[in-house]
Amino acid sequence: MATLSVDPKNGFCNETKTFFSLRPPTPMPPSDEPLSITKYVFSLLHSVMDTKKPGSDTFLINSSTGDSLSYPEFLRRTRSLSLYLKTHYELSKNDVAFILCPPSLNVPVIYFSLLALGVTISPANPLGSNSEVAHQVQLCKPKIAFASSQTAHKLASLPLDTIVVDSPDFVSFLSTTVAGTGGVLDQVEIKQTDPAAILYSSGTTGKVKGVCLTHRNLIALIAGFHHTKEQTDLDQPEPHPVSLFTLPLFHVFGFFMLIRAVSIGETLVMMERFDFEGMLRAIEKFKILFIPVSPPLIVALVKSELTKKYDLSSLMGLGCGGAPLGKDVAERFKEKFPHVEIGQGYGLTETTGAATRMIGPEEMNQYGSVGRLGENLEARIVDPVTGESLPPGQRGELWLRGPTIMKGYVGDEKATVETLDSEGWLKTGDLCYFDSNGFLYIVDRLKELIKYKAYQVPPAELEHLLHSNPKIADAAVIPYPDEEAGQIPMAYVVRKHGIDITEAEVMDYVTKQVAPYKKIRRVAFINSIPKNPAGKILRRELINHALSASSSKL
């Protein structure tokens, strides 16, 4: 970059047609140094714990039972489980462990223990169907599995075992000591390029894929967060962070936020089963400062009257990711909760969950944007037709390159080659643009654009408008086949409880605010919009429903 002409306002280089990060470069451990994400994060945690105030060493709290786990106990259990697994199972470096567990105080212990051994972890949705789980197992080819008594039946026999984590046996694994070891596990030499995790992409654009992330990917991500936090804390030290965790730990957003929490010694209040009022109750009871959320939760906070029943004054910030958040919803949230900042971010499983984010109040006022390019990353906006790289203000497919980009898709070389080019650029499939100040805006998924005659209609834009209607609780827009136009925008709408709104009212509401080609031309009412755990709309389900039985209820 030193020899390139890079615009200091937006990071764009005219010579290379590349956007560079405006964040200061993050110092990283040498890439050839043997280092696991567990060892790296624990070294950061120890430096934080040395400066902590007495009584602030709680790591996890179960919001419903009040059970808790301190950091010293977490570290002890992690070492014990690593030791037990190393001495009782023939686990080798790069073996895969499949994890099918509901959220609990034990899940982080399992993750960090296995990662310390160089075992690749592959967490999956415990609510997945038998066929979904079978497909994931086929992709990652595990030697061992960790499951609960409710999920173990979904797993076929594996080469080593399926360990049931809510059994008395498992509890005994957490207090293992072996004579002569002093409780210290022999060091397993782990290269940073070794695989750390296989996470599953949302599958909204075809069959679910297994995304292989390395220890280096995770180290690069955490180094960026940690370095930025150190710089921010010098300006304005924050109170001890207490976060509420509503995210699934098997999803990349929850996965990397968990690892980040450990690296900064954060206290996490965990919800085993999410319910909206339970979340409000937990904010009041545990004096929650921060919640990582997906956009549907922000919509619910804006529209719900229940928020008036609870003291939410401790809440300082929401980290929003997983799907685009509309500018209108963000503005209405700020009106209702003026003391709470929303920091939007953007990332994919393929980018270790992060690519852009907002830092500080000034950036957080850029409603509608997902922030600026993360540390050590480069980006391009590429015209999907010509392949030309575009300057600020122009829309195209977002390409990303940097140390957090995945190794590839396991067992799918074709998909890897289609997504990662020979120079290391990841093609995100998202239609985006950077503005003149380097803020990224997501327009929509390229494959989800509705082709109305010669025009392209982004469903997300129409969904944001529908969310701004006080009579509508939730909405999704899909392409519906039309002989004359090719496709027309169709809306699935969830009415707000106890309020009636007609098909004509929905269409008129949008018509007044958009160009004629973007009008919604078909409406169906539905009880709830199907979404994945990160809050992304499962459009394929709605499209199939519309085509097969448009009049029936989901």
Side-chain angles (χ1 to χ4, degrees):
M1 274 182 66
T3 58
L4 296 173
S5 172
V6 175
D7 189 324
K9 279 182 69 182
N10 53 46
F12 185 68
C13 172
N14 255 317
E15 299 158 54
T16 62
K17 305 295 182 192
T18 300
F19 291 86
F20 292 91
S21 176
L22 296 169
R23 314 286 186 211
T26 297
M28 297 250 298
S31 57
D32 58 354
E33 177 190 336
L35 187 63
S36 71
I37 184 61
T38 296
K39 189 175 178 183
Y40 178 69
V41 166
F42 283 2
S43 70
L44 296 176
L45 174 62
H46 284 304
S47 65
V48 171
M49 294 301 289
D50 290 343
T51 62
K52 267 186 177 293
K53 295 174 185 173
S56 61
D57 68 351
T58 303
F59 171 29
L60 292 170
I61 302 172
N62 182 315
S63 66
S64 54
T65 65
D67 292 343
S68 64
L69 183 66
S70 69
Y71 272 102
E73 179 63 10
F74 165 65
L75 293 170
R76 191 196 64 73
R77 288 186 186 184
T78 300
R79 285 193 295 269
S80 292
L81 184 58
S82 287
L83 194 58
Y84 183 88
L85 293 171
K86 181 72 173 171
T87 52
H88 290 78
Y89 291 90
E90 293 178 5
L91 280 171
S92 305
K93 197 176 75 160
N94 298 339
D95 281 348
V96 176
F98 191 71
I99 301 163
L100 199 66
C101 297
S104 75
L105 302 189
N106 286 329
V107 171
V109 175
I110 294 167
Y111 285 4
F112 280 90
S113 298
L114 290 164
L115 289 165
L117 294 172
V119 174
T120 306
I121 64 171
S122 191
N125 188 347
L127 300 178
S129 68
N130 289 6
S131 61
E132 287 169 330
V133 169
H135 174 64
Q136 292 165 334
V137 166
Q138 190 181 359
L139 283 176
C140 74
K141 298 180 170 46
K143 286 278 182 72
I144 195 168
F146 293 78
S148 71
S149 49
Q150 281 77 43
T151 61
H153 71 276
K154 298 180 184 181
L155 293 164
S157 143
L158 295 175
L160 293 181
D161 201 358
T162 292
I163 294 174
V164 178
V165 301
D166 50 353
S167 67
D169 283 350
F170 183 77
V171 175
S172 70
F173 303 168
L174 301 178
S175 54
T176 299
T177 55
V178 176
T181 66
V184 178
L185 186 67
D186 293 334
Q187 289 295 311
V188 179
E189 186 166 297
I190 296 163
K191 295 177 183 173
Q192 293 180 51
T193 51
D194 285 336
I198 295 168
L199 304 182
Y200 298 98
S201 64
S202 56
T204 50
T205 53
K207 196 85 167 160
V208 168
K209 299 181 187 73
V211 176
C212 184
L213 302 175
T214 64
H215 288 267
R216 182 72 172 176
N217 290 153
L218 293 166
I219 289 166
L221 185 74
I222 298 306
F225 276 112
H226 211 268
H227 183 64
T228 305
K229 188 178 187 307
E230 280 183 340
Q231 305 307 307
T232 310
D233 284 354
L234 290 174
D235 303 330
Q236 189 177 1
E238 290 183 356
H240 174 68
V242 181
S243 292
L244 182 64
F245 229 57
T246 63
L247 300 170
L249 296 179
F250 60 83
H251 184 271
V252 70
F253 191 9
F255 180 67
F256 87 72
M257 289 299 285
L258 170 69
I259 296 173
R260 173 187 172 275
V262 176
S263 76
I264 60 174
E266 193 170 48
T267 296
L268 290 184
V269 179
M270 192 179 279
M271 295 185 74
E272 287 187 348
R273 286 181 186 80
F274 177 77
D275 76 275
F276 185 72
E277 191 164 4
M279 177 190 77
L280 300 176
R281 201 178 297 118
I283 295 170
E284 179 179 272
K285 180 178 178 182
F286 298 103
K287 302 287 187 286
I288 301 296
L289 269 69
F290 177 79
I291 315 177
V293 298
S294 56
L297 201 47
I298 295 183
V299 172
L301 284 164
V302 168
K303 297 196 172 190
S304 175
E305 298 295 313
L306 283 172
T307 55
K308 295 172 183 173
K309 283 178 58 181
Y310 296 90
D311 177 7
L312 309 181
S313 59
S314 63
L315 198 58
M316 292 172 61
L318 300 179
C320 183
L325 177 72
K327 181 181 178 183
D328 180 74
V329 173
E331 287 173 344
R332 286 165 64 205
F333 180 88
K334 198 65 182 170
E335 282 174 25
K336 188 172 179 180
F337 303 101
H339 63 290
V340 184
E341 297 285 359
I342 297 179
Q344 288 197 68
Y346 162 82
L348 308 167
T349 312
E350 291 85 346
T351 65
T352 321
T356 65
R357 73 183 194 278
M358 296 175 169
I359 300 173
E362 189 181 329
E363 291 190 7
M364 289 179 189
N365 288 330
Q366 299 292 320
Y367 297 141
S369 168
V370 290
R372 286 178 165 146
L373 198 57
E375 299 82 2
N376 301 343
L377 280 176
E378 304 167 61
R380 283 183 177 168
I381 299 291
V382 178
D383 186 307
V385 179
T386 65
E388 180 190 358
S389 293
L390 305 170
Q394 294 199 37
R395 295 177 173 191
E397 183 181 13
L398 176 67
W399 290 17
L400 294 165
R401 184 167 69 177
T404 55
I405 302 301
M406 69 168 181
K407 192 169 190 172
Y409 296 116
V410 292
D412 199 335
E413 187 61 32
K414 181 173 178 287
T416 302
V417 170
E418 287 170 356
T419 307
L420 271 175
D421 79 1
S422 58
E423 295 180 348
W425 288 100
L426 176 86
K427 302 168 189 177
T428 68
D430 286 315
L431 185 67
C432 307
Y433 68 92
F434 283 98
D435 71 7
S436 57
N437 292 308
F439 286 94
L440 183 70
Y441 291 80
I442 311 291
V443 179
D444 220 319
R445 290 288 297 166
L446 268 174
K447 290 180 181 176
E448 291 182 354
L449 292 175
I450 297 166
K451 311 295 196 302
Y452 176 82
K453 297 186 176 176
Y455 298 101
Q456 292 184 333
V457 182
E461 182 183 334
L462 298 177
E463 286 157 4
H464 294 155
L465 284 175
L466 291 166
H467 283 147
S468 70
N469 188 317
K471 292 184 175 182
I472 293 174
D474 204 356
V477 176
I478 62 164
Y480 189 84
D482 181 85
E483 197 173 330
E484 184 188 335
Q487 293 177 332
I488 58 170
M490 174 181 177
Y492 273 98
V493 171
V494 180
R495 294 181 177 101
K496 199 165 182 188
H497 184 67
I499 294 177
D500 195 29
I501 184 171
T502 66
E503 185 178 343
E505 283 179 280
V506 172
M507 290 196 278
D508 290 345
Y509 182 79
V510 174
T511 297
K512 290 171 186 170
Q513 303 180 72
V514 298
Y517 70 89
K518 292 181 182 176
K519 291 195 303 187
I520 285 171
R521 295 162 193 272
R522 190 181 179 96
V523 176
F525 294 99
I526 196 170
N527 294 327
S528 65
I529 303 294
K531 292 173 184 167
N532 78 356
K536 285 183 186 173
I537 294 164
L538 298 173
R539 279 185 226 281
R540 176 53 51 194
E541 282 190 25
L542 291 173
I543 290 166
N544 291 342
H545 180 261
L547 296 177
S548 63
S550 59
S551 62
S552 66
K553 295 275 189 277
L554 269 183

